[in-house]
Amino acid sequence: MATKDPWKPSSYSPSKTALLLLDYEKAHIDMISDPKRGEAVVNSTKRLLTTARENNVAVVHCLMDTTSDPPATSKGSEKWHSMIKPLLSANPEMAAEYGDFAITGASAPGGGCESISHRNPGYVSALVAEGMLSLLREKLGVGHLIMSGITTSGPVLGTAMHAIDLDFVVTVVEDASWDPNEQVHRTLIESVIPTLAWVSTAEEAVGYMTG
């Protein structure tokens, strides 16, 4: 049977929904200089993750493979080799996922699927990671992707637009996402992303995962 109103997030049950956590490495969380904003992002993300784990919503932790290099054609390749790679080599803990979000032995009490996906530096969409699309489509069979992350102008925007072109329904969670340029964050959240995807608060996204 066809899904009623297939363009709406509310048309998808928790089992047909996946939560994508985008680039919540420790280094990115540490970039948030405003303590209140940082706390809000962390708390909103923890709420999303807890809800997903309790309601059979698949979770994919989408991270950067810092052991690999970006493609030679990437504009950021020079910066990666001259600045970022040496910094991460000297401080490897910065590349790890923020501890409050990491998978643990008791992470999924609801029996949901939780996994980690890595993509090479230089790519903004988490969907380019090897096996990512087959995981979402074939193994999980989801049609609705809830996503949030750091930065709004990087993997959040890139993954959202890529997913839309692949016929997923996309919800971007604004208060669990962050960008170093607040004006850019607001423009994307208020004017750009809503033209093609849904934008919600963490509270609204929780409703999609429990409905």
Side-chain angles (χ1 to χ4, degrees), residues 23 167 181 192:
D23 284 13
D167 300 329
N181 188 320
V192 178

Side-chain angles (χ1 to χ4, degrees), residues 82-97:
S82 65
M83 295 178 56
I84 300 175
K85 187 175 182 178
L87 179 63
L88 293 177
S89 295
N91 304 276
E93 72 281 358
M94 295 176 64
E97 186 173 27

Side-chain angles (χ1 to χ4, degrees), residues 13 15 22 30 33 65 70 84-85 91-92 107 141-142 146 156 200:
S13 66
S15 65
L22 306 169
D30 289 347
S33 58
D65 179 5
I84 300 175
K85 187 175 182 178
N91 304 276
S107 287
V142 300
I146 296 174
V156 175
S200 78

Side-chain angles (χ1 to χ4, degrees), residues 9-126:
S10 57
S11 297
Y12 295 84
S13 66
S15 65
K16 295 297 181 181
T17 298
L19 173 65
L20 272 55
L21 301 181
L22 306 169
D23 284 13
Y24 284 111
E25 289 91 353
K26 184 178 184 300
H28 285 166
I29 295 292
D30 289 347
M31 287 170 55
I32 309 176
S33 58
D34 182 346
K36 289 185 178 180
R37 182 73 174 107
E39 182 179 9
V41 169
V42 168
N43 287 342
S44 293
T45 306
K46 287 171 66 175
R47 187 177 181 195
L48 294 174
L49 185 54
T50 298
T51 302
R53 287 170 171 170
E54 293 176 347
N55 290 275
N56 198 37
V57 174
V59 180
V60 185
H61 300 252
C62 304
L63 303 170
M64 194 71 67
D65 179 5
T66 56
T67 65
S68 300
D69 293 327
T73 53
S74 173
K75 185 180 179 181
S77 183
E78 182 177 3
K79 182 179 180 181
W80 169 262
H81 287 287
S82 65
M83 295 178 56
I84 300 175
K85 187 175 182 178
L87 179 63
L88 293 177
S89 295
N91 304 276
E93 72 281 358
M94 295 176 64
E97 186 173 27
Y98 185 67
D100 285 3
F101 308 153
I103 298 175
T104 66
S107 287
C113 174
E114 191 163 355
S115 59
I116 300 173
S117 175
H118 290 94
R119 71 187 188 284
N120 284 14
Y123 295 105
V124 291
S125 171

